[in-house]
Amino acid sequence: MSEPDHHMSIAGVGAVTGYGWGCEALWRGLLSGKSAAGVQPGYGVERDEAAWVSLVPPGGDPQVSTSRYGRAVHEAAREAITDATARGWRPGRTVGLLHAIVLGDVGNWRDFYTVDGGHRRSRNYLRLLPSTPISVVMQEFGFHGPAMNVSAACSSGNVALITAQMWLDSGLADDVVCVATDLSATPDMVEHFVRLGAAVTDAEPLQACRPFQEGSRGFSMGEASVGFVLSRSVARPYATVLGGAMTNDAYHVVSVDPGHRQIVECARRALDKAGVSARQVRYFNAHGTGTRQCDIAERALLGEVFDDRPEVYAIKPLTGHCQGAAAAVEIAAAALGFDRGIVPAAPIVAAPHPQLLDGPVASAGGITVKLSLGMGGNNSMVVLAPPGGS
């Protein structure tokens, strides 16, 4: 194995999820063992059905944006920066910003066409552009480093962290603020995921979404915006990012390659980059969508690379599948868990994989790997360790 490059710390965390605005709302929700989803009206093909969906509730700073999306982006970044500062972080000379984004502000774009007929005042039109939320954050904090969006479907949160580590390694930035946002659980978007056979809206999520358990039907849709401050200089970090890797199946726009070759390759590259062996991994933070092909792929990976040793947990039954922000929500859960000594696993509801954790448990420390799989064949894994240890 190669020696790892300089490691990167998670210095601060911010979160806006279906549980509410702020990290504490997320943490309380995870420990409750109850889904963030509620029964929402106006779904289905005719928009006359109720659906189980985890929506970000109204909130945020109205001075920042008239858009719920824009407010969520800003609040996740603002909370992460405030949190990092309280934990001893001081911005370096060059602070960059990465925004993990897939579909963008879909609700606002829909209104632009269907309500406004494509006509708006320039100021309100500019709120639609993906560059605007980033610019507003950079302006508030006076950051002048590189700023850009990254997109790799549901793998985007992992990819943003890996990109941030490359920026630090190359000297492009001294610190990086990462935000991953997806508020796309609208009736028109959810309809298509249901048609694809992946999303389930007609049952409570903990019953429908059972990753690594018998009887799973798929995932419930969720929304989130999650922020991180990533640095090599902070007094009390949440976690250390040891390394990560990305591959692509080059197989299908939706389906996972049944041979799982590139998922396995991704995991092996991530471990090599992190400078750790598979035997050192204590926890497997799963992609955990509860779909059949995802369960098969992750079970195969656990057996082939990790010899079924790590304990497994997945939080999508709780938070919903937050699409482009999914990996970030799950990394936030791991980071908060390191800090508070708890692995925030979802409760088991059916016959499970033997290594699946049943609800929140005391953490034994050690390394966590976070796998994410995205449409288009995007595979990614990051390797996380508690601060000061592996």
Side-chain angles (χ1 to χ4, degrees), residues 10 17 32 50 55 57 63 72 84 90 112 117 126 133 144 146 153 196 217 239 264 274 327 335 343 353 383:
I10 297 178
T17 67
S32 75
L55 300 179
Q63 298 300 313
R90 297 296 178 267
F112 173 65
L126 290 173
H144 298 283
L196 285 168
R217 296 171 55 202
V264 168
V343 181
H353 185 284
V383 183

Side-chain angles (χ1 to χ4, degrees), residues 136-215:
V136 172
V137 172
M138 298 295 274
Q139 289 174 54
E140 174 169 336
F141 294 97
F143 297 152
H144 298 283
M148 59 180 260
N149 296 302
V150 296
S151 186
C154 303
S155 194
S156 295
N158 271 3
V159 169
L161 261 65
I162 294 167
T163 304
Q165 193 160 37
M166 290 191 290
W167 280 11
L168 297 183
D169 288 346
S170 68
L172 278 172
D174 300 307
D175 309 280
V176 182
V177 176
C178 261
V179 185
T181 309
D182 199 304
L183 272 64
S184 67
T186 59
D188 36 354
M189 296 295 174
V190 171
E191 175 190 341
H192 290 283
F193 280 95
V194 172
R195 284 183 171 184
L196 285 168
V200 179
T201 60
D202 63 357
E204 199 279 331
L206 281 166
Q207 296 302 315
C209 182
R210 304 175 180 180
F212 297 92
Q213 301 168 70
E214 289 182 3

Side-chain angles (χ1 to χ4, degrees), residues 11-12 80-92 175 229 231-238:
I81 292 165
T82 301
D83 184 35
T85 301
R87 299 174 77 89
W89 174 69
R90 297 296 178 267
D175 309 280
V229 172
S231 179
R232 290 186 173 138
S233 180
V234 60
R236 294 186 297 117
Y238 283 95

Side-chain angles (χ1 to χ4, degrees), residues 42-193:
Y43 283 77
V45 176
E46 302 298 329
R47 307 296 185 258
D48 58 353
E49 299 175 14
W52 284 93
V53 186
S54 299
L55 300 179
V56 166
D61 185 350
Q63 298 300 313
V64 168
S65 177
T66 58
S67 162
R68 186 173 59 108
Y69 182 92
R71 294 194 300 272
V73 173
H74 203 89
E75 183 57 32
R78 184 184 275 174
E79 184 183 21
I81 292 165
T82 301
D83 184 35
T85 301
R87 299 174 77 89
W89 174 69
R90 297 296 178 267
R93 178 182 178 185
T94 304
V95 179
L97 192 152
L98 283 161
H99 188 202
I101 177 175
V102 177
L103 294 173
D105 194 350
V106 296
N108 206 3
W109 275 107
R110 179 192 58 203
D111 290 348
F112 173 65
Y113 286 112
T114 63
V115 177
D116 302 328
H119 301 288
R120 280 189 180 182
R121 293 175 57 192
S122 294
R123 180 177 180 180
N124 292 330
Y125 169 74
L126 290 173
R127 298 184 193 279
L128 294 166
L129 304 182
S131 57
T132 296
I134 293 176
S135 178
V136 172
V137 172
M138 298 295 274
Q139 289 174 54
E140 174 169 336
F141 294 97
F143 297 152
H144 298 283
M148 59 180 260
N149 296 302
V150 296
S151 186
C154 303
S155 194
S156 295
N158 271 3
V159 169
L161 261 65
I162 294 167
T163 304
Q165 193 160 37
M166 290 191 290
W167 280 11
L168 297 183
D169 288 346
S170 68
L172 278 172
D174 300 307
D175 309 280
V176 182
V177 176
C178 261
V179 185
T181 309
D182 199 304
L183 272 64
S184 67
T186 59
D188 36 354
M189 296 295 174
V190 171
E191 175 190 341
H192 290 283
F193 280 95

